[in-house]
């Protein structure tokens, strides 16, 4: 029989559709896989076992599986995650719930007008600052919950200013200063009735935040207890963010929009101990240019909030005044709000804007432009760029210079970008090579930028698939992500060391929030994992494992694998002492090659029986994998007992794997 030595030098084809299983003549076949689970395909070509998930939070408020949204706090380069249930929401970081105060009222940066506030005299505002003008001028707002203990924080340049809480009878004089300074007025007790926060006199005011220490709506420090979206509406919620203002807007066509907003607030008069204060409030749109609740939104393009998908006006695109995200007042000025019908048919499904404004509907993908460059009510043009249609309630995503959206049948993920040579926008189906992976339908799409560009798709059955995608390097490689349980929601949160995939997952009948690093810093290879210091003693008891109750867990003690145990009473008992232990659920990664081709003088190796005399795998800083169920020698005499075997770089081999009709090679990492 002929002998041949096929080689697969990369896996940049990712998992491909069985429909491509006969395309042995293509370059894609030479680098693709028949199956790829829990292996990420790196842009350089190799497979990397995905990191395990860290347990962050136990969702015990109600049975609603929460939606997850990234949120960037002020002054930070890393995202928090906003977890939203039907009647409960909270902010989380990698260590758990974020300690913060929900503000009772908020000036919103004055980016609309004086909504929530009223003034008398010659008060004015510009650039997000209220100028009181002079003596006798008043700027105030009414507190709707009376008889509570309030704290007021703000920034001011005073020229003879006084701040008071009417109803509480307390007044504080702000010392004159030519420079901006933070101030904090503590423990004002409202007595009921017409409680008001009032600034009067001369000077400028900004960043006003009022918190209420005794707000009964807040069930705990760090929680938002406001009604948000109904359970049935949660899957349809879309969000848009503006990092410069630390603000996210959440929309759903049957419910009033909500805003999550954060500002720095001083907690003492010296300006020290400055912490974020977060406010969750209903969006209050001014002006008659917008009627009804939008179902889609995009914040920031040309300084406006763009919305659409209003039930009564499905094909109309609305935009706020330039620089005023909540003001939809129409007028003759170029800066005024916009209300334009895009076409005679078609409901708006998504809006994306960078250099251009793209709008997807259930029929057509539009480009909105202006002859003068800046879109206004009087300079507004629409062209149809494609007609692939868009899915209902699936938000688009922006990836570099492309917009990415899901087709109406929820089976195809498409990306559109501008081709300069042809002066047109063109789109392609990114799922063409792996159409079998989307049989359950795509319900949400996310994109991770760092360290490797990665598309994440949530599926209708609770599954998740990923795609390593770098158009400039011609990388498009799909793979499956399996955490052993259905995923209710996901989002990508960014940090300075790389992006992380956050998931809400149902395990053992309970709902948990976990995070999976997409980087390679401080990762483990266990799911729902926690790392704890080991208590002293010969048989130390590790507690705090309630989320793993009754589960068989893997244990890494100072990096070395210990025997599996079942968690009983929220704890396990270790067989020996150590410094640090990581405990979580085991999982494995698996990749299966396509049927090999080549080496037969008759022209094809297909349907020939094969026997692999030797298989060689090249590793880089890796544990030893299983190759067709066999593992190379995994222990060296120089490795001390009770310590992890060093990771390998170089070639390893297994021999005499027997005869096989298909000749595929299965690589597993456990």
């Amino acid at each position: 029989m002929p002998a041949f030595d096929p080689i697969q030098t990369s896996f940049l084809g990712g998992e491909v559709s069985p429909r491509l299983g006969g395309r042995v003549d293509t370059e894609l076949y030479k680098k693709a896989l028949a199956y790829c689970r829990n292996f990420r395909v790196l842009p350089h070509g190799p497979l990397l076992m995905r990191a395990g998930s860290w347990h962050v939070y136990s969702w015990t408020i109600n049975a609603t599986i929460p939606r997850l949204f990234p949120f960037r706090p002020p002054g930070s380069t890393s995202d928090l995650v906003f977890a939203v249930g039907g009647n409960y929401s909270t902010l989380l970081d990698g260590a758990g719930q974020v300690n913060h105060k929900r503000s009772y009222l908020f000036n919103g940066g004055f980016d609309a007008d004086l909504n929530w506030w009223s003034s008398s005299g010659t008060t004015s505002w510009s650039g997000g600052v209220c100028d009181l003008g002079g003596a006798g001028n008043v700027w105030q707002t009414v507190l709707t919950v009376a008889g509570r203990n309030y704290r007021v924080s703000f920034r001011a340049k005073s020229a003879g200013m006084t701040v008071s809480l009417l109803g509480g009878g307390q007044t504080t004089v702000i010392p004159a200063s030519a420079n901006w300074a933070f101030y904090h007025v503590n423990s004002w007790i409202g007595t009921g009735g017409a409680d008001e926060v009032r600034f009067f006199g001369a000077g400028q005011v900004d960043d006003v935040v009022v918190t209420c220490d005794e707000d009964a709506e807040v069930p705990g420090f760090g929680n938002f207890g406001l009604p948000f979206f109904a359970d049935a509406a949660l899957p349809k919620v879309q969000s848009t963010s503006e990092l410069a203002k630390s603000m996210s807007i959440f929309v759903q066509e049957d419910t009033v929009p909500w805003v999550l907003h954060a500002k720095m607030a001083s907690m003492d008069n010296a300006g020290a101990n400055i912490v974020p204060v977060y406010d969750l409030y209903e969006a209050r749109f001014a002006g008659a240019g917008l009627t009804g609740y939008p179902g889609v939104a995009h914040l920031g393009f040309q300084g406006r909030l763009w919305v659409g998908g209003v039930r009564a006006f499905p094909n109309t695109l609305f935009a706020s005044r330039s620089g005023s995200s909540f003001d939809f007042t129409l007028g003759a000025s170029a800066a005024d709000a916009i209300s334009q019908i895009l076409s005679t048919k078609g409901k708006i499904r998504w809006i994306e804007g960078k250099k251009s404004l793209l709008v997807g509907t259930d029929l057509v993908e539009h480009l909105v432009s202006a002859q003068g460059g800046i879109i206004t009510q009087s300079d507004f043009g629409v062209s149809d760029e494609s007609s692939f249609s868009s899915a209902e309630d699936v938000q688009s995503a922006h990836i570099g210079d492309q917009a990415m959206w899901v087709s109406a049948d929820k089976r195809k993920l498409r990306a559109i970008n501008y081709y300069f040579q042809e002066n047109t926008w063109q789109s392609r189906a990114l799922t063409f090579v792996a159409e079998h992976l989307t049989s359950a339908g795509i319900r949400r799409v996310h994109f991770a930028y760092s360290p490797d560009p990665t598309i994440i798709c949530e599926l209708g059955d609770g599954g998740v698939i990923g795609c390593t995608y770098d158009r400039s390097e011609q990388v498009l490689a799909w793979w499956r992500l399996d955490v052993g349980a259905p995923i209710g929601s996901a989002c990508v949160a960014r940090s300075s060391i790389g992006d992380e995939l956050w998931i809400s997952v149902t395990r053992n009948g309970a709902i948990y929030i976990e995070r999976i690093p997409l980087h390679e810093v401080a990762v483990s290879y266990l799911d729902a994992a926690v790392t704890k210091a080991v208590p002293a003693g010969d048989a130390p008891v590790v507690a705090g494992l309630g989320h793993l109750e009754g589960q068989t867990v893997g244990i890494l003690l100072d990096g070395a694998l210990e025997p599996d145990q079942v968690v009983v009473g929220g704890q396990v008992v270790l067989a020996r002492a150590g410094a640090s232990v990581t405990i979580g659920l085991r999982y494995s990664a698996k990749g299966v090659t396509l049927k090999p081709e080549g080496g037969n003088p008759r022209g094809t190796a297909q349907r020939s029986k094969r026997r692999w005399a030797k298989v060689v795998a090249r590793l880089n800083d890796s544990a030893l994998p299983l190759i067709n169920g066999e593992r190379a020698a995994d222990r060296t005499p120089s490795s001390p007992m009770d310590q992890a075997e060093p990771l390998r770089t170089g070639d390893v081999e297994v021999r005499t794997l027997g005869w096989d009709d298909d000749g595929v090679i299965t690589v597993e990492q456990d």
Side-chain angles (χ1 to χ4, degrees):
M1 286 189 176
F4 65 100
D5 298 310
I7 184 172
Q8 184 156 350
T9 58
S10 87
F11 305 97
L12 287 177
E15 180 176 334
V16 296
S17 168
R19 296 178 179 179
L20 295 171
R23 296 300 306 275
V24 298
D25 58 321
T26 63
E27 289 299 315
L28 175 63
Y29 195 92
K30 299 176 183 178
K31 59 185 180 181
L33 292 166
Y35 183 77
C36 186
R37 185 199 71 220
N38 284 337
F39 273 127
R40 290 170 48 211
V41 182
L42 298 183
H44 310 83
L47 298 177
L48 175 67
M49 186 179 185
R50 71 156 175 91
S53 66
W54 293 105
H55 176 74
V56 177
Y57 189 69
S58 298
W59 187 265
T60 58
I61 297 300
N62 56 35
T64 303
I65 297 176
R67 287 285 306 277
L68 305 179
F69 300 92
F71 182 77
R72 182 68 56 86
S76 175
T77 59
S78 299
D79 292 339
L80 301 175
V81 169
F82 186 45
V84 181
N87 58 10
Y88 171 82
S89 54
T90 191
L91 277 167
L92 303 168
D93 61 13
Q97 203 170 45
V98 174
N99 286 338
H100 65 266
K101 280 291 184 183
R102 181 176 66 82
S103 63
Y104 182 73
L105 57 89
F106 189 41
N107 70 350
F110 306 109
D111 58 355
D113 51 23
L114 286 184
N115 277 347
W116 304 285
W117 299 83
S118 62
S119 61
S120 60
T122 58
T123 58
S124 62
W125 67 97
S126 176
V129 174
C130 178
D131 192 337
L132 294 176
N137 296 326
V138 177
W139 179 64
Q140 64 188 25
T141 188
V142 176
L143 302 176
T144 58
V145 178
R148 298 297 175 87
N149 186 3
Y150 296 104
R151 297 169 180 264
V152 183
S153 297
F154 57 95
R155 214 162 52 99
K157 279 200 302 187
S158 173
M161 182 191 308
T162 302
V163 58
S164 70
L165 182 72
L166 299 183
Q170 300 190 40
T171 300
T172 300
V173 176
I174 306 303
S177 173
N179 300 316
W180 284 101
F182 274 104
Y183 296 94
H184 174 66
V185 181
N186 191 17
S187 299
W188 283 356
I189 307 297
T191 59
D195 286 348
E196 296 175 350
V197 175
R198 171 178 289 191
F199 294 86
F200 56 93
Q204 294 176 300
V205 185
D206 193 13
D207 299 339
V208 180
V209 177
V210 180
T211 59
C212 180
D213 287 352
E214 303 173 35
D215 194 340
E217 293 177 325
V218 181
F221 200 59
N223 302 342
F224 296 89
L226 292 173
F228 194 52
F229 290 105
D231 290 352
L234 275 178
K236 303 178 181 181
V237 173
Q238 297 194 21
S239 69
T240 181
S241 300
E242 188 170 7
L243 298 184
K245 294 183 178 180
S246 293
M247 179 172 65
S248 291
I249 301 175
F250 303 89
V251 298
Q252 202 276 330
E253 65 179 354
D254 297 314
T255 311
V256 61
W258 285 78
V259 179
L260 176 63
H261 206 157
K263 283 262 183 122
M264 306 301 287
S266 174
M267 301 312 291
D268 57 44
N269 287 342
N273 190 27
I274 298 175
V275 298
V277 172
Y278 300 89
D279 189 33
L280 181 64
Y281 54 86
E282 293 183 1
R284 305 183 185 183
F285 295 135
L290 174 61
T291 302
Y293 302 141
V296 299
H298 176 80
L299 184 60
F301 181 74
Q302 295 187 351
R304 301 178 187 265
L305 172 63
W306 302 81
V307 299
V310 177
R311 187 175 295 279
F313 308 97
N315 56 346
T316 301
L317 180 67
F318 304 91
S320 69
R321 284 179 51 86
S322 180
S324 301
S325 302
F326 299 104
D327 189 346
F328 285 82
T329 302
L330 299 173
S333 169
D336 287 333
I338 298 171
S339 175
Q340 292 279 6
I341 298 175
L342 294 185
S343 62
T344 57
K345 296 181 179 180
K347 184 175 183 178
I348 295 175
R349 301 294 198 200
W350 54 267
I351 305 169
E352 284 291 339
K354 275 294 186 183
K355 292 183 178 179
S356 302
L357 187 68
L358 294 167
V359 181
T361 74
D362 54 357
L363 299 175
V364 178
E365 290 76 55
H366 301 290
L367 174 68
V368 178
S369 59
Q371 292 184 350
I374 303 299
I375 302 171
T376 67
Q377 181 71 14
S378 59
D379 191 354
F380 187 98
V382 181
S383 60
D384 297 348
E385 298 300 324
S386 61
S387 56
F388 291 103
S389 74
S390 300
E392 184 178 9
D393 303 324
V394 182
Q395 188 166 355
S396 58
H398 195 273
I399 48 175
D401 59 351
Q402 293 183 294
M404 181 172 58
W405 82 95
V406 176
S407 63
D409 62 2
K410 298 190 177 181
R411 291 294 307 274
K412 305 174 190 68
L413 180 66
R414 304 197 68 91
I416 188 170
N417 59 280
Y418 181 73
Y419 283 81
F420 180 80
Q421 296 86 346
E422 302 179 26
N423 190 29
T424 185
W425 290 79
Q426 296 182 6
S427 71
R428 62 175 296 200
L430 303 183
T431 47
F432 172 79
V433 297
E435 47 75 35
H436 65 300
L437 293 178
T438 63
S439 59
I442 302 172
R443 67 183 181 194
R444 296 181 199 104
V445 180
H446 315 278
F447 188 70
Y449 289 88
S450 174
D452 303 312
T454 305
I455 300 167
I456 301 292
C457 295
E458 299 179 51
L459 304 179
D461 60 359
V464 170
I465 56 176
C467 179
T468 307
Y469 180 64
D470 192 330
R471 191 162 63 96
S472 63
E473 300 297 333
Q474 297 183 321
V475 175
L476 176 68
W478 288 95
W479 42 273
R480 306 169 188 246
L481 189 149
D482 181 9
V483 297
I487 291 174
S489 176
C491 77
V492 171
R494 298 186 173 93
S495 74
S496 57
I497 61 174
D499 295 345
E500 295 185 335
L501 177 66
W502 285 61
I503 58 175
S504 58
V505 60
T506 303
R507 298 188 187 276
N508 203 25
I511 301 171
Y512 303 113
I513 297 175
E514 301 170 5
R515 59 182 180 90
I516 302 174
L518 299 175
H519 52 77
E520 300 173 53
V521 180
V523 300
S524 80
Y525 295 96
L526 296 168
D527 278 339
V530 292
T531 294
K532 294 180 175 292
V534 178
D538 294 333
V541 176
V542 180
L545 305 176
H547 69 289
L548 296 170
E549 182 67 27
Q551 302 289 300
T552 300
V553 295
I555 301 172
L556 289 173
L557 182 57
D558 296 334
L561 190 63
E562 295 290 302
D564 292 354
Q565 291 192 42
V566 176
V567 176
V568 178
Q571 62 187 32
V572 297
V573 181
L574 303 181
R576 61 185 178 90
S580 176
V581 63
T582 299
I583 300 173
L585 302 172
R586 283 179 174 270
Y587 67 95
S588 64
K590 182 178 181 180
V592 181
T593 66
L594 294 166
K595 298 177 182 180
E597 172 58 37
N600 192 325
R602 295 171 58 187
T604 180
Q606 301 303 300
R607 297 192 65 190
S608 300
K609 293 185 72 67
R610 305 161 175 90
R611 181 177 69 88
W612 295 115
K614 178 173 63 175
V615 175
V616 179
R618 181 159 294 175
L619 309 180
N620 179 47
D621 201 26
S622 173
L624 292 174
L626 289 163
I627 300 175
N628 281 15
E630 301 289 335
R631 197 191 312 270
D634 64 349
R635 198 74 192 173
T636 54
S638 60
S639 298
M641 297 298 293
D642 294 330
Q643 291 189 19
E645 183 75 11
L647 301 178
R648 306 290 183 87
T649 296
D651 295 350
V652 298
E653 64 181 51
V654 295
R655 292 177 174 269
T656 316
L657 297 179
W659 292 94
D660 191 291
D661 287 338
D662 295 327
V664 301
I665 295 173
T666 299
V667 180
E668 295 180 87
Q669 186 62 278
D670 59 357

